Amino acid sequence: MRRFVSTYGWMMIAVLLLSGCDDEQRIVNGNEPADDEAIAVAWAYVTARNWQEPVLDAGASAEVDRVTVDDGYELLDDAYAGTEALAVSFEADPNSSVGVPTILVAPESDTVIGYLPGE
């Protein structure tokens, strides 16, 4: 029985260590906003421009990814070209003919730096 518990314990430690190495973890260290903060900043930007109409549910449908800013984005400041940013996208209503833009948030300043127009 002790041998089983010991083996099981080491397996659990290995699983926890391996799952801790996931690339898509929440961003919570130091100066970078958590996903919830990036979503709130992006949602405020979307609603300020009245782009929220086709969104199903802002908080539940939002997805945050880390991207490298390239020339496909409409930047508010060209100084961010080539840098890393958080891309916040919202799920649009499938019956809507317009999409919701993906909003870029600067991780160090928690501000909107650009967007990718919706389709």
Side-chain angles (χ1 to χ4, degrees), residues 54-57 60-63 89-94 100:
V55 175
L56 287 176
D57 181 12
S61 69
E63 190 174 299
S89 57
F90 300 97
E91 184 179 354
D93 182 357
V100 181

Side-chain angles (χ1 to χ4, degrees), residues 9-60:
W10 283 109
M11 287 176 52
M12 288 302 296
I13 290 172
V15 168
L16 290 173
L17 287 174
L18 290 174
S19 65
C21 298
D22 188 6
D23 289 335
E24 295 183 12
Q25 292 180 11
R26 275 179 74 90
I27 300 167
V28 291
N29 67 2
N31 299 328
E32 296 179 335
D35 289 351
D36 295 339
E37 293 172 33
I39 291 168
V41 168
W43 184 247
Y45 188 81
V46 167
T47 55
R49 279 144 188 82
N50 290 327
W51 293 341
Q52 75 273 15
E53 190 62 35
V55 175
L56 287 176
D57 181 12

Side-chain angles (χ1 to χ4, degrees), residues 4 8 11 26 33 35 55-56 59 68 74 76 86 101-104 112 116-119:
F4 174 75
Y8 183 74
M11 287 176 52
R26 275 179 74 90
D35 289 351
V55 175
L56 287 176
T68 301
E74 296 289 329
L76 304 177
L86 302 175
T102 299
I103 308 300
L104 293 177
V112 173
L116 178 64
E119 294 147 12

Side-chain angles (χ1 to χ4, degrees), residues 93-113:
D93 182 357
N95 297 324
S96 177
S97 61
V98 290
V100 181
T102 299
I103 308 300
L104 293 177
V105 177
E108 66 280 349
S109 63
D110 204 14
T111 58
V112 173
I113 60 170

Side-chain angles (χ1 to χ4, degrees), residues 45 68-83 85 104-105 112-117:
Y45 188 81
T68 301
V69 179
D70 59 20
D71 59 353
Y73 295 97
E74 296 289 329
L75 295 177
L76 304 177
D77 183 356
D78 288 333
Y80 287 101
T83 63
L104 293 177
V105 177
V112 173
I113 60 170
Y115 62 91
L116 178 64

